[in-house]
Amino acid sequence: MTDTQDPVLDPAAMTGYEQLLAMRDGRMPPAPISALVGMIDFDGEVGAMRVALVPEQRHYNPLGTVHGGVISTLLDTAAGCSVHSTLGVGERYTSLDLTVKFLRAVTAQTGRIEARGTVLQRGRRTALAEAQILDTEGRLLAHATSSCLIFS
């Protein structure tokens, strides 16, 4: 589907990458979790997607750092959307697992962070993806792997 076609989009007639671009461009609503957490700068290409966040105190756990659930959400989004970007028309996916390694504490002082996801292997029924969260200086803050089930 291109921008010159009917402005009424039918997600069921789009590839996964086309769906993600439509969300990025505001032609389809984004996933509600992105607004809840405050995700920004969603973009990428087939097989590799990224999303960013500027940490705030609202993301903190009782210890005064960004909650692991927020970090995991960013990693899951980058990895999962990377798999989503490979889907053909009529295909769907669900995450089977997410394994996260927290490597550095993240606070508001860390500044903007970016989760970068990549599909490592895409088969007919499963996909394996990874995601990394980096700060603006390129330091690795967290890493995850995710297995996804692909179905029609």
Side-chain angles (χ1 to χ4, degrees), residues 64-89:
T65 61
V66 173
H67 192 283
V70 174
I71 299 297
S72 296
T73 299
L74 283 178
L75 291 164
D76 186 55
T77 299
C81 287
S82 292
V83 171
H84 190 126
S85 72
T86 70
L87 300 178
V89 174

Side-chain angles (χ1 to χ4, degrees), residues 13-74:
M14 301 166 74
T15 67
Y17 187 60
E18 289 170 336
Q19 293 169 1
L20 295 173
L21 290 182
M23 287 183 231
R24 179 200 68 188
D25 297 341
R27 295 178 290 130
M28 280 178 48
I33 189 70
S34 64
L36 178 68
V37 175
M39 295 179 200
I40 58 172
D41 299 336
F42 179 76
D43 203 4
E45 58 193 47
V46 174
M49 299 298 292
R50 63 186 179 276
V51 63
L53 175 83
V54 177
E56 302 172 14
Q57 281 192 324
R58 70 183 176 119
H59 299 121
Y60 281 14
N61 60 30
L63 300 173
T65 61
V66 173
H67 192 283
V70 174
I71 299 297
S72 296
T73 299
L74 283 178

